[in-house]
Amino acid sequence: LRPITGLDGFRDVPRTYRYGPSSEAVTAPMYRERDVTFHGIGLRPYRPCHLTATDTKNGDMSLAWIRRTRVDGDLWDLVDVPLGEANEAYNLQISGPSGVVRDVTVTSPSFLYTQAERMSDGTESGFTFSVAQLSERFGPGGYASKTV
């Protein structure tokens, strides 16, 4: 078996595949047919991990996380895992009791949530932040969340 490659243009498009013994013609009755839709799940970025929220001296909150990678992430001699995407970007959502109050895109694995922003958002007594790595080829990956 070989992986089917070059399907970016066919994501979410149903395709019909025929399979059977290579010694027979594809029209032979022992060949089977199957409709498959390629969603590109293997392109989805992994959800970030080790989310932290740290109070700063001036009342702001520093939010941070560690990115993960689908590409060469098991190379232990590197300082950090390879990005695996064209650009480093994350979707960060901050939720209060009434739902999402702040939705931003950031280009590093951290965000300074200022005291003024928290007061404006009504999240001084607590909030949940959710973050997903963004991919130009797939969109947002899985979200990781932490309640503060």
Side-chain angles (χ1 to χ4, degrees):
L1 294 175
R2 289 180 293 135
I4 300 170
T5 60
L7 294 178
D8 274 355
F10 295 102
R11 283 178 52 199
D12 299 319
V13 176
R15 298 190 43 118
T16 302
Y17 293 93
R18 290 186 56 78
Y19 58 94
S22 61
S23 60
E24 299 290 332
V26 294
T27 55
M30 70 237 351
Y31 263 72
R32 301 286 182 253
E33 195 171 274
R34 185 170 178 196
D35 292 329
V36 177
T37 303
F38 172 70
H39 300 290
I41 299 302
L43 301 173
R44 178 175 50 199
Y46 292 155
R47 71 184 72 237
C49 60
H50 304 293
L51 281 65
T52 60
T54 308
D55 286 314
T56 65
K57 292 179 183 177
N58 60 357
D60 297 341
M61 177 116 8
S62 175
L63 309 179
W65 52 90
I66 304 292
R67 69 175 163 80
R68 296 167 58 206
T69 187
R70 298 175 293 104
V71 180
D72 293 332
D74 55 352
L75 300 176
W76 291 87
D77 56 343
L78 301 175
V79 174
D80 199 0
V81 294
L83 180 57
E85 303 295 337
N87 300 299
E88 186 170 10
Y90 305 90
N91 177 241
L92 173 69
Q93 296 177 340
I94 297 176
S95 302
S98 61
V100 176
V101 294
R102 188 168 296 270
D103 189 330
V104 296
T105 298
V106 296
T107 57
S108 66
S110 63
F111 179 76
L112 185 64
Y113 194 24
T114 67
Q115 186 175 27
E117 289 170 331
R118 290 177 64 197
M119 290 178 66
S120 171
D121 294 344
T123 59
E124 309 93 297
S125 62
F127 61 91
T128 297
F129 74 98
S130 303
V131 62
Q133 187 171 356
L134 300 177
S135 166
E136 288 181 5
R137 292 177 69 195
F138 186 86
Y143 282 85
S145 300
K146 182 175 182 73
T147 299
V148 179

